[in-house]
Amino acid sequence: MTLASWNRLVETAVLLDGFHALKHAVRFGAEVPVAVAVDREAALALADELAPDVRDALDALLTEVPESTYRSLVPRPHPTAVAALAVRPSRAAGLGKLAHTPRTAPVVVLDNPRNLGNAGAVIRLAAGFGVTGVVTTGTLDPWHPTVVRGGAGLHFATVVERLTVPELPPGPLFALDPEGDDIRGVKLPDDAVLAFGSERSGLSAELRARTDHLLSLPMRPQVSSYNLATSVAMTLYHWSLTGGAARA
């Protein structure tokens, strides 16, 4: 029954690759119709240690399967040998949350990102700061399995959508650029849209034309750039100092 369900759902569902992705998805309300583990007791022991709040839910979800079966279901086996399929959140609901104003936390925009792992790391950061959502422009699919793996399943803790530049949500648009004003002199409002350019080519001309404010991060001369996720982390931390970031 488990394999039949997996094969029926796999083309449209979100692959949760590893224990931590499944843990976060369940914690943040994902609908998970099927989940497997090579060693069910080991997975539940991890839950006892790291996520007791979702232990009972995982106990009800997980089905033990042979390792050969597990490996046939995932493109790259995870060290925890756990995998699941989740129902992707409603796009209409996500777009509604992005468009709703006033917002209590910014939206992060990745303008034509190229690296799947970087996108996942940004989504993980954004979830940690409690942002309204992460939007990508361009061809990268923010729900690609590699992105979900990099985000540790935290796609379900925020809104994640792909839009065109004209479709970006409302709010003052602050874009990061080496020629911008020093971010340390600017207070970022809670309804800001924070845009970050491609790892290779920076901001697109289309997004730059839409930008209200160009900002730069402090950087030592002759250092060419920061990693994308690092830039997002620095910017969100700056916002959190005066904004409405989630408190522990």
Side-chain angles (χ1 to χ4, degrees), residues 31 46 62 71 76 82 91 108-109 128 141 155 167 193 236-237 241 244:
E31 180 183 347
L46 269 180
L62 284 168
R71 287 180 173 272
R76 182 163 57 114
V82 171
R91 177 172 171 84
V108 170
V109 176
D141 176 8
H155 285 58
E167 293 172 329
V193 178
L236 289 177
Y237 181 72
L241 294 177

Side-chain angles (χ1 to χ4, degrees), residues 112 114 197-202:
N112 200 24
R114 302 294 187 182
S198 164
E199 299 93 335
R200 293 182 183 177
S201 54

Side-chain angles (χ1 to χ4, degrees), residues 64-139:
E64 187 164 295
V65 296
E67 183 173 0
S68 59
T69 299
Y70 163 73
R71 287 180 173 272
S72 74
L73 301 178
V74 296
R76 182 163 57 114
H78 191 275
T80 57
V82 171
L85 295 177
V87 176
R88 181 167 170 172
S90 161
R91 177 172 171 84
L95 294 178
K97 291 177 183 178
L98 292 174
H100 178 77
T101 56
R103 286 192 298 268
T104 58
V107 172
V108 170
V109 176
L110 304 184
D111 186 28
N112 200 24
R114 302 294 187 182
N115 186 283
L116 296 167
N118 280 347
V122 168
I123 290 165
R124 189 170 186 173
L125 271 168
F129 277 97
V131 305
T132 297
V134 177
V135 170
T136 64
T137 70
T139 58

